[in-house]
């Protein structure tokens, strides 16, 4: 977005990866969306396919590996896909769209829920979402009921989101969940609440898939290992 004029973008940015391949001596190179590589890492670890990967971090990254083990090249940008269809749903400050995934399944969701939970953080600027998330994680470790309610709410968001995802990914067998929002005890609360919603509201879907949370080692190295599977 910051490269102008357009001609310079086409000349210097568009062929960037081709130039990298040349600089690296012509090694096999393939470019894929990071969410799809996350899902592929899950498929490799699970030794199974039909994986929807959701990374709940600074935003919401998503990817999908189909039942045949293929990345389809779809725009799985669920950060900008609607989850909440209310006219007054939370608006994304970048796109202006309402009810999209980034505001419900990321650290942005935590930041939005902090004042609603009755937690004050005057020492941390509202825009400093990473530090505000860390503070909520600290409160969760201390057994703070307000912090737990934040995670329970995000868990409900996740449960309904997964059910809605079956409208577009009908063959899901595994939902891989990772990202900094899932770190610590709060992540367990999120998954427990999501399962509760699915069991109560969508029992026929709950029987068709399982949640998969990678180990810390897989979180750190799984994408790199999966990326090595991509080039021929």
């Amino acid at each position: 977005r910051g490269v102008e004029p357009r001609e310079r973008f086409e000349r210097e940015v568009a062929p960037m990866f081709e130039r990298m391949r040349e600089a690296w001596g012509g090694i096999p190179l393939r470019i894929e969306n990071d969410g799809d590589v996350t899902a592929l890492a899950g498929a490799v670890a699970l030794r199974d396919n039909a994986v929807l990967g959701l990374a709940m971090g600074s935003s919401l990254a998503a990817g999908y590996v189909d039942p045949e083990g293929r990345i389809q090249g779809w725009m799985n940008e669920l950060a900008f896909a609607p989850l909440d269809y209310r006219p007054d749903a939370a608006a994304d400050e970048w796109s202006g769209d309402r009810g999209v995934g980034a505001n419900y399944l990321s650290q942005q969701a935590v930041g939005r829920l902090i004042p609603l939970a009755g937690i004050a953080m005057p020492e941390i600027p509202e825009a400093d979402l990473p530090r505000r998330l860390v503070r909520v994680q600290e409160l969760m470790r201390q057994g703070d009921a307000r912090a737990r309610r934040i995670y329970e709410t995000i868990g409900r968001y996740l449960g309904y989101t997964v059910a809605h995802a079956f409208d577009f990914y009908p063959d899901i067998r595994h939902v891989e969940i990772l990202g900094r929002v899932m770190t610590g005890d709060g992540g367990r609360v999120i998954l427990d609440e999501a399962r509760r919603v699915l069991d109560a509201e969508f029992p026929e879907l709950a029987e068709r898939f399982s949640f998969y949370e990678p180990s810390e080692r897989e979180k750190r190295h799984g994408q790199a290992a999966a990326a090595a599977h991509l080039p021929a």
Side-chain angles (χ1 to χ4, degrees), residues 54 56 105 148 151-159 162 175-178 181-199 209-214 219:
L54 301 175
M56 299 161 58
L105 296 175
R148 185 180 184 88
Y151 287 109
E152 288 173 344
T153 301
I154 293 175
R156 294 186 195 113
Y157 294 158
L158 178 60
V162 170
V175 177
E176 179 186 19
I177 303 290
L178 66 161
V181 175
M182 296 298 299
T183 298
D185 295 338
R188 185 56 46 201
V189 171
I190 288 174
L191 285 182
D192 287 346
E193 191 65 21
R195 289 190 183 97
R196 190 192 66 78
V197 167
L198 286 157
D199 287 342
F209 83 98
S210 62
F211 280 114
Y212 167 60
E213 191 175 7
K219 289 177 184 177

Side-chain angles (χ1 to χ4, degrees), residues 164-184:
H164 190 25
F166 273 90
D167 292 334
F168 305 96
Y169 307 92
D171 300 313
I172 297 171
R173 290 200 293 267
H174 307 278
V175 177
E176 179 186 19
I177 303 290
L178 66 161
R180 69 186 68 172
V181 175
M182 296 298 299
T183 298

Side-chain angles (χ1 to χ4, degrees), residues 30 32 36 64-68 70-76:
R30 179 171 162 183
E32 291 290 350
D36 284 328
Y64 182 63
V65 173
D66 73 11
E68 285 71 47
R70 299 173 300 193
I71 292 175
Q72 293 282 0
W74 298 338
M75 291 292 288
N76 300 299

Side-chain angles (χ1 to χ4, degrees), residues 36-99:
D36 284 328
V37 178
T38 295
L40 181 60
V44 171
L46 289 163
R47 298 186 179 183
D48 197 8
N49 300 320
V51 178
L52 177 67
L54 301 175
M56 299 161 58
S58 57
S59 184
L60 173 63
Y64 182 63
V65 173
D66 73 11
E68 285 71 47
R70 299 173 300 193
I71 292 175
Q72 293 282 0
W74 298 338
M75 291 292 288
N76 300 299
E77 295 292 354
L78 299 189
F80 301 107
L83 308 179
D84 184 351
Y85 288 85
R86 295 175 301 159
D88 61 344
D92 177 63
E93 80 287 349
W94 183 74
S95 68
D97 293 332
R98 289 191 177 275

